Amino acid sequence: MSPLATNLFERHEGGERVVLVQLSIDDGHAPEDPLEFEELVRSAGGEPVAHIGGHRRSPSAKFYVGTGKLDEILVVKDAEEAELVVFNHPLSPSQERNLERVLQCRVIARTGLILDIFAQRARTHEGKLQVELAQLKHMSTRLIRGWTHLERQKGGIGLRGPGETQLETDRRLLRARIRAIEGRLDKVRSQRAQSRRSRQRAEIPLVSLVGYTNAGKSTLFNQFTDATVYAADQLFATLDPTVRRVDIDHLGPVMLADTVGFIAHLPHTLVEAFKATLEETLNATLLIHVIDVAAEHRAHFEAEVQLVLDEIGAGEIPQLTIYNKVDLLDQPARIVRDGAGMPTAVYLSASTGEGMALLAEALRERVQNKMFQGEVQLTSEEGRLRAALYAAGAVEEEVFSDDGGSVLSICLPHKDWQRLQHRH
């Protein structure tokens, strides 16, 4: 079996002892949160045994860290009997190879760590395809590592032949697999686009949940829709997009979408691979930005989510902010409104259900501008229109008059109301 095939199907069982490395680099970027880094490693199934920090003006081209820091990592790795060293930084393929040669253990970067978590979390066929696509694109720059023991990549007398031929074969297989997955994901996007067109024809608003990973989006989704989406207190618990129809009193049907959590410096390969998931965000009528109100760095998380939204072209979509987990701070649920009285934020607890009625109220006010609300007076001869309004679930109240007619309080999408008027 070729090294490519071996890499594709090898799965580590977790529980590995891991040394974490995170330096402060003078590159103008905000430093990563070390607690989040540790949680990422735990989410991947690793056991952090040491955290090595430091400072450099710029990364070393050969090892990313300096030789002194490399010696320190080696001593700690041996003392802790660690099997893996993880850098909370992007590493080039050559840097990974150089580090592994000195440290005599596997070395991965932040991108590889997140890819591993995604591989564990993907549950649907589409999600698994998206993860594999991201893994293959990441692997394509590192494929040569599988043949290091043959020294074939150097070329020269006595070093040409089968090694290079196999490497090129693996590269060709990899490119073919990438094209095949991209083709299948294009079909998924076409099917999703068809579903969206059906929703748009019916003018059913799409509300998409976004937010930093582990903010409580799936718990909120489950509470609001009575669904059974996987929710856990871990990073990237949700990878696959889930859309459910919710009927809100005095508003009508709304499609609610749960999406993958965002994270600081999400690798571009993942943003690209998860376009099918993020399309539910791009086509939303309203974004519900869920924020963990108890998180220590919530302002930083909020800014990172906005950066990703801007990057995928969803930055201008109207937002309703949800401050979740108020039960952890013993705060009351409440709605925050702007100067015009329009809801801008809701404080609630998705886990206890406190404030969910306020969320429905805020949604109703933010989305109802696309709905027709009012009273319609019908005569006894307009029974077909009355029946059609009831069939559409648009009637909120009906009061009968002495002449056999009635007054209906209705709420339904403008387009549906215009169509019913035209037909009847």
Side-chain angles (χ1 to χ4, degrees):
M1 181 179 290
S2 74
L4 171 61
T6 303
N7 286 337
L8 280 177
F9 295 105
E10 266 186 5
R11 290 298 300 274
H12 297 280
E13 296 180 359
E16 295 169 293
R17 296 172 65 81
V18 184
V19 173
L20 284 60
V21 180
Q22 177 173 335
L23 304 184
S24 174
I25 304 292
D26 295 335
D27 57 0
H29 292 100
E32 306 287 0
D33 180 4
L35 294 179
E36 178 184 273
F37 181 30
E38 185 172 320
E39 184 59 33
L40 278 171
V41 172
R42 293 188 189 280
S43 293
E47 179 189 346
V49 294
H51 198 301
I52 296 177
H55 176 269
R56 278 188 71 88
R57 289 190 175 181
S58 61
S60 159
K62 187 172 184 180
F63 297 112
Y64 195 90
V65 297
T67 54
K69 184 63 65 176
L70 183 60
D71 291 339
E72 179 186 345
I73 296 170
L74 179 59
V75 169
V76 171
K77 189 270 296 186
D78 289 340
E80 297 291 345
E81 298 181 345
E83 306 156 87
L84 176 66
V85 175
V86 181
F87 279 68
N88 199 18
H89 306 280
L91 296 177
S92 69
S94 63
Q95 286 171 335
E96 285 188 10
R97 288 197 299 274
N98 294 335
L99 286 164
E100 288 183 347
R101 188 175 62 250
V102 174
L103 298 176
Q104 291 297 296
C105 70
R106 290 191 305 118
V107 176
I108 64 172
R110 179 183 175 89
T111 299
L113 179 65
I114 294 176
L115 280 170
D116 186 82
I117 298 171
F118 273 42
Q120 295 179 44
R121 300 286 188 270
R123 283 170 169 74
T124 66
H125 176 64
E126 176 194 347
K128 291 174 182 176
L129 282 176
Q130 290 171 324
V131 169
E132 186 179 355
L133 178 61
Q135 286 178 319
L136 290 174
K137 288 185 173 180
H138 182 66
M139 188 191 302
S140 64
T141 61
R142 289 158 168 78
L143 190 58
I144 199 169
R145 294 175 61 191
W147 291 96
T148 302
H149 65 290
L150 295 180
E151 294 295 329
R152 297 290 187 185
Q153 68 274 17
K154 290 183 178 178
I157 296 174
L159 294 176
R160 289 183 285 262
E164 290 182 344
T165 303
Q166 182 62 61
L167 185 57
E168 287 305 315
T169 300
D170 280 351
R171 284 176 174 155
R172 187 167 59 252
L173 290 171
L174 187 146
R175 287 193 295 267
R177 179 64 179 161
I178 287 176
R179 285 196 297 271
I181 293 174
E182 287 177 335
R184 289 161 78 176
L185 285 174
D186 283 341
K187 290 183 180 178
V188 171
R189 293 186 189 113
S190 298
Q191 293 166 356
R192 202 180 296 281
Q194 189 173 1
S195 298
R196 274 198 302 272
R197 284 193 293 271
S198 298
R199 291 200 300 264
Q200 288 164 354
R201 280 196 295 270
E203 273 206 0
I204 300 178
L206 173 63
V207 177
S208 185
L209 296 174
V210 298
Y212 209 76
T213 184
N214 207 30
K217 295 183 299 300
S218 294
T219 304
L220 179 66
F221 184 88
N222 290 341
Q223 184 75 252
F224 205 64
T225 65
D226 293 326
T228 54
V229 174
Y230 180 69
D233 185 18
Q234 59 187 17
L235 303 184
F236 302 121
T238 302
L239 288 185
D240 305 302
T242 308
V243 182
R244 293 284 186 275
R245 172 174 167 146
V246 182
D247 289 305
I248 299 177
D249 290 342
H250 310 300
L251 175 61
V254 170
M255 303 305 293
L256 189 66
D258 189 19
T259 60
V260 63
F262 297 166
I263 194 167
H265 304 150
L266 185 68
H268 284 277
T269 51
L270 291 177
V271 173
E272 178 68 22
F274 277 77
K275 274 185 177 177
T277 302
L278 297 173
E279 279 175 1
E280 295 299 346
T281 300
L282 287 170
N283 292 276
T285 306
L286 177 71
L287 299 181
I288 294 183
H289 184 174
V290 183
I291 298 171
D292 180 353
V293 73
E296 183 180 355
H297 304 287
R298 81 179 197 193
H300 170 67
F301 295 161
E302 190 172 353
E304 288 293 340
V305 170
Q306 193 58 51
L307 281 174
V308 176
L309 289 174
D310 291 339
E311 184 178 348
I312 66 174
E316 300 301 319
I317 298 174
Q319 290 186 26
L320 173 67
T321 304
I322 300 298
Y323 291 104
N324 188 26
K325 307 184 184 180
V326 294
D327 54 305
L328 299 181
L329 300 180
D330 199 24
Q331 289 187 5
R334 65 187 189 277
I335 293 181
V336 178
R337 300 177 183 274
D338 60 17
M342 188 63 69
T344 57
V346 180
Y347 286 77
L348 54 76
S349 171
S351 61
T352 67
E354 182 186 5
M356 296 306 295
L358 297 178
L359 173 57
E361 179 183 338
L363 274 177
R364 186 162 48 245
E365 294 183 42
R366 290 295 298 267
V367 178
Q368 70 180 358
N369 60 347
K370 289 185 172 291
M371 309 289 286
F372 172 79
Q373 274 190 303
E375 292 186 344
V376 180
Q377 187 165 359
L378 301 180
T379 65
S380 57
E381 286 79 23
E382 293 177 297
R384 290 179 61 190
L385 176 55
R386 177 179 175 275
L389 288 169
Y390 269 100
V395 180
E396 297 177 345
E397 186 181 3
E398 182 175 17
V399 178
F400 291 96
S401 56
D402 295 336
D403 60 2
S406 61
V407 177
L408 278 66
S409 298
I410 62 173
C411 177
L412 74 168
H414 275 290
K415 193 172 184 178
D416 288 353
W417 172 232
Q418 291 168 358
R419 188 182 70 252
L420 287 174
Q421 284 182 302
H422 179 71
R423 287 183 179 177
H424 303 285

